[in-house]
Amino acid sequence: MSAADTASAGGAAPRAAPVAAVRAYWQEHVTDWPITRARPGTRDFFRETAAYRFEKLDYLDRIAGYGDHAGEDVLDIGCGLGNDTARFAAAGARVTGLDIAPRALELARENFAQRGLQGRFVLGDGEALDFPEASFDFVYCHTVLHFTPHPERMVAEIHRVLRPGGRALLMMVNRRSWMRALHRAMKVEIDHLHSPVFHWYGPDRFRAMLDRFDEVDLRFERFPVRTLVHKGAKARIYNLAFVDLFNALPRRLTAPTGHHMLAFVRKAA
């Protein structure tokens, strides 16, 4: 692994952290959603966080395939509040949500109860899953790999718990993204950049980490959308100038700069 592939935003060496530090961070910050006004755990809180997430990550409903797993066993690693998990459950999947933070699981269970959904929620570390081999048909791991100390261990565990022919959707942040360039040039904020672990991977490094899978389809997503959080002149320049200008460019030119790298993978049958 090259230092460039996992450097922090400031160019320093990658940060290492014990599992306890990662758990403590997310236990404290799982409710840090800048757009929300409602008290955590309320119906309005879950509605606001889901609306913000799926508007900001506008590609998810288009490509994540939430409705494609009815009757299957689905594992959501790093389930957080359970908003993504709920989409699988609502479409008929048997879902298991796993998170390292007890507070996240408490909120995810409440989220499901308010929606009238069924799901199992388990406290655990995605780098050491407490499930037998071949337990799941599909594993969803979005917005997690760049926050775990050893992403390659988590990928190996995902491969282990998948059934033969099973599929997974894995996401990693792209060190060559437009977002990282803006952060460096204009100090644009990146969510949880100062968490105990934050990896930046290049596409080649990410693809190499997935070589145990029989099929790998790597796509770039997360392109600029108008900010709803920030105000003032900087936000207006970002919304009216940068977002529109960027999205007017041919996607074939801008695609490799997508902030999120999405890997659609399949385990050999």
Side-chain angles (χ1 to χ4, degrees):
M1 181 189 310
S2 70
D5 276 343
T6 55
S8 71
R15 286 163 283 170
V19 170
V22 176
R23 177 177 290 113
Y25 178 87
W26 292 108
Q27 180 75 358
E28 179 181 353
H29 294 282
V30 68
T31 56
D32 287 359
W33 290 75
I35 200 68
T36 60
R37 297 292 179 267
R39 178 172 55 85
T42 63
R43 190 177 301 275
D44 283 344
F45 174 77
F46 294 124
R47 177 183 56 77
E48 289 173 351
T49 55
Y52 176 70
R53 176 169 174 80
F54 293 107
E55 181 173 357
K56 182 178 181 180
L57 306 184
D58 59 345
Y59 65 83
L60 280 175
D61 281 330
R62 173 169 49 84
I63 69 169
Y66 296 119
D68 298 340
H69 303 283
E72 295 184 355
D73 293 306
V74 171
L75 172 63
D76 183 1
I77 296 179
C79 65
L81 303 177
N83 285 325
D84 292 52
T85 328
R87 275 167 154 71
F88 290 110
R94 294 184 296 273
V95 300
T96 298
L98 180 135
D99 206 278
I100 200 168
R103 177 61 170 153
L105 297 176
E106 176 187 336
L107 289 165
R109 291 187 183 103
E110 180 60 27
N111 193 358
F112 265 54
Q114 292 185 18
R115 296 171 184 253
L117 296 172
Q118 297 295 315
R120 175 176 61 152
F121 292 96
V122 178
L123 182 67
D125 176 6
E127 294 186 14
L129 294 172
D130 192 19
F131 303 114
E133 292 185 12
S135 293
F136 298 96
D137 301 295
F138 183 77
V139 176
Y140 182 76
C141 183
H142 190 282
T143 331
V144 178
L145 285 174
H146 56 295
F147 292 127
T148 196
H150 307 98
E152 69 284 353
R153 296 181 189 174
M154 190 174 291
V155 170
E157 281 290 88
I158 289 168
H159 185 271
R160 182 183 67 82
V161 302
L162 273 174
R163 292 176 178 137
R167 296 182 178 273
L169 172 54
L170 315 177
M171 170 255 161
M172 175 64 82
V173 291
N174 180 12
R175 65 176 294 267
R176 303 172 187 170
S177 74
W178 63 271
M179 176 68 83
R180 190 177 187 218
L182 273 188
H183 171 76
R184 287 180 157 185
M186 301 176 60
K187 306 303 179 187
V188 170
E189 295 179 15
I190 294 176
D191 291 344
H192 302 291
L193 182 61
H194 300 293
S195 61
V197 178
F198 195 104
H199 299 285
W200 294 96
Y201 270 42
D204 292 343
R205 173 59 186 164
F206 186 37
R207 189 182 294 275
M209 190 168 60
L210 307 171
D211 62 1
R212 69 187 68 240
F213 290 97
D214 190 54
E215 295 178 9
V216 177
D217 177 12
L218 187 62
R219 309 180 196 177
F220 295 86
E221 291 288 348
R222 176 70 169 96
F223 297 101
V225 296
R226 285 177 170 78
T227 179
L228 301 177
V229 177
H230 304 96
K231 307 297 180 184
K234 190 174 181 179
R236 288 194 295 273
I237 292 171
Y238 175 82
N239 286 339
L240 300 177
F242 177 74
V243 174
D244 289 346
L245 178 61
F246 186 99
N247 288 315
L249 296 172
R251 188 62 76 194
R252 61 183 174 80
L253 298 179
T254 61
T257 70
H259 187 50
H260 291 176
M261 298 184 291
L262 281 295
F264 297 79
V265 300
R266 186 179 73 86
K267 184 175 180 177

